[in-house]
Amino acid sequence: MSEFVDNLEKEARGRFVRWDPALWSAFLNGPVVRLGRALKDGDAASGEELLRDYMRLGAEGIGLGYMYPGSAGRENFFTLAWRELLPRLLPDLRQEEQAPALARVWNLSENLESAPPWVQRLFCRLGSNLSSLEDLEGHLHTIANEAMEPPTQALGDTSTAQWVDLSQEDSRFMPGEMHFLAPAVVCVHDRHRATAAGGRDAATQGVWLVKKPMLLGPMGCNERLEPATGKPSKALTSLAQRDPRAGDWYSTQHNEWRAVATMHTSQWLAVILPA
């Protein structure tokens, strides 16, 4: 096996300009070891061939830039799959299902590389707790539909408010202007770090506006936003009148299904949902 690993690395170094030796070493000493141990209980020859395929695709992913080091501060489905999901869940499948499942996860991960960053983060945050690789495509398709399609219920005369602490993701974050990425997904920009600097993305956070709002982390969004000039929705005006936590709004946005607001002196995001 060591000769196979050496030859695989040599080939990758020659093929890929973006080859990362440190990331390859971490991959071999972490996920590869875990998967190899988990496969020892099955047929030895089949387990070794599956492990070789896993390493080949992992090397391909590193070379193509699909796998991120832990220090990158970025999330994508390929990194989650090759570091966590496959070593943990692939051995649970029947032997005849393992190789096809590995191929499906590769295809799915590669296809998702063209998805917007917030979609990747959504899949990562909800996919990290997966208990099986069975019907993985169906599971992610359901998540995508829920996030991208308009909610079934529009904002009406009755509504409920949720408060979301954006400092949980970034202790320095001061929420400012916002824009909707989908009917129930909003991108919030830091008012002080609204433009990219030093080669880094502007400071932004995504929030999926469901009943229990989900933080999606940095969005990698460098869109320049103008200060909001529209009137707040009736639901936000009502919230400001009845909830002492609501101060002067810094920026507000609303669509047919959701309303959101940031404040001048708070790291919290106010979210208005249908009751």
Side-chain angles (χ1 to χ4, degrees), residues 39-49 95:
L39 291 173
K40 283 185 177 179
D41 294 336
D43 178 78
S46 297
E48 183 171 322
E49 184 57 34
Q95 183 179 310

Side-chain angles (χ1 to χ4, degrees), residues 53 62-63 71 122 153 227 231 245 248 260 266:
D53 289 341
I62 291 173
S71 60
L122 183 65
Q153 188 177 358
K231 292 183 178 180
R245 291 172 294 180
D248 292 334
V260 287
S266 174

Side-chain angles (χ1 to χ4, degrees), residues 12-263:
R13 284 178 180 272
R15 287 181 58 203
F16 299 112
V17 175
R18 303 173 68 176
W19 181 251
D20 186 334
L23 185 53
W24 172 245
S25 178
F27 174 62
L28 291 178
N29 293 313
V32 171
V33 170
R34 295 200 306 273
L35 180 58
R37 288 172 178 166
L39 291 173
K40 283 185 177 179
D41 294 336
D43 178 78
S46 297
E48 183 171 322
E49 184 57 34
L50 183 69
L51 189 62
R52 287 172 185 259
D53 289 341
Y54 170 72
M55 284 191 283
R56 286 191 191 99
L57 294 174
E60 189 85 5
I62 291 173
L64 292 172
Y66 295 167
M67 188 183 294
Y68 301 147
S71 60
R74 302 173 64 188
E75 295 175 291
N76 70 339
F77 190 77
F78 186 93
T79 303
L80 173 67
W82 254 255
R83 278 189 181 169
E84 304 295 337
L85 298 183
L86 288 170
R88 177 164 58 87
L89 300 177
L90 195 58
D92 293 342
L93 299 177
R94 294 193 299 270
Q95 183 179 310
E96 63 272 19
E97 297 176 333
Q98 291 173 345
L102 179 62
R104 288 198 306 273
V105 174
W106 166 266
N107 290 333
L108 179 62
S109 301
E110 189 173 37
N111 290 337
L112 283 174
E113 283 302 302
S114 60
W118 71 268
V119 175
Q120 287 272 13
R121 288 190 172 276
L122 183 65
F123 287 161
C124 286
R125 305 240 165 161
L126 292 180
S128 60
N129 295 322
L130 281 173
S131 59
S132 173
L133 294 178
E134 294 181 1
D135 195 29
L136 179 61
E137 297 92 333
H139 177 72
L140 296 184
H141 184 71
T142 299
I143 294 173
N145 282 345
E146 290 179 358
M148 295 180 183
E149 295 298 321
T152 56
Q153 188 177 358
L155 278 176
D157 294 333
T158 58
S159 60
T160 182
Q162 291 277 1
W163 292 90
V164 183
D165 182 8
L166 299 183
S167 69
Q168 293 179 64
E169 291 280 336
D170 179 350
S171 61
R172 297 172 54 201
F173 199 86
M174 285 303 297
E177 304 300 337
M178 302 166 287
H179 58 115
F180 279 95
L181 301 172
V185 178
V186 69
C187 178
V188 186
H189 288 232
D190 186 297
R191 71 187 71 166
H192 302 306
R193 295 176 287 162
T195 57
R200 298 183 177 181
D201 292 332
T204 58
Q205 286 195 47
V207 186
W208 188 17
L209 309 174
V210 287
K211 187 174 182 180
K212 185 178 180 181
M214 175 179 289
L215 295 174
L216 300 179
M219 290 291 95
C221 176
N222 288 318
E223 184 174 337
R224 293 182 178 273
L225 302 180
E226 297 296 328
T229 56
K231 292 183 178 180
S233 70
K234 292 181 180 179
L236 284 170
T237 302
S238 174
L239 177 66
Q241 293 171 347
R242 71 177 189 272
D243 193 324
R245 291 172 294 180
D248 292 334
W249 301 133
Y250 180 89
S251 179
T252 66
Q253 290 287 338
H254 66 273
N255 59 19
E256 186 178 345
W257 307 276
R258 300 289 188 266
V260 287
T262 59
M263 290 174 284

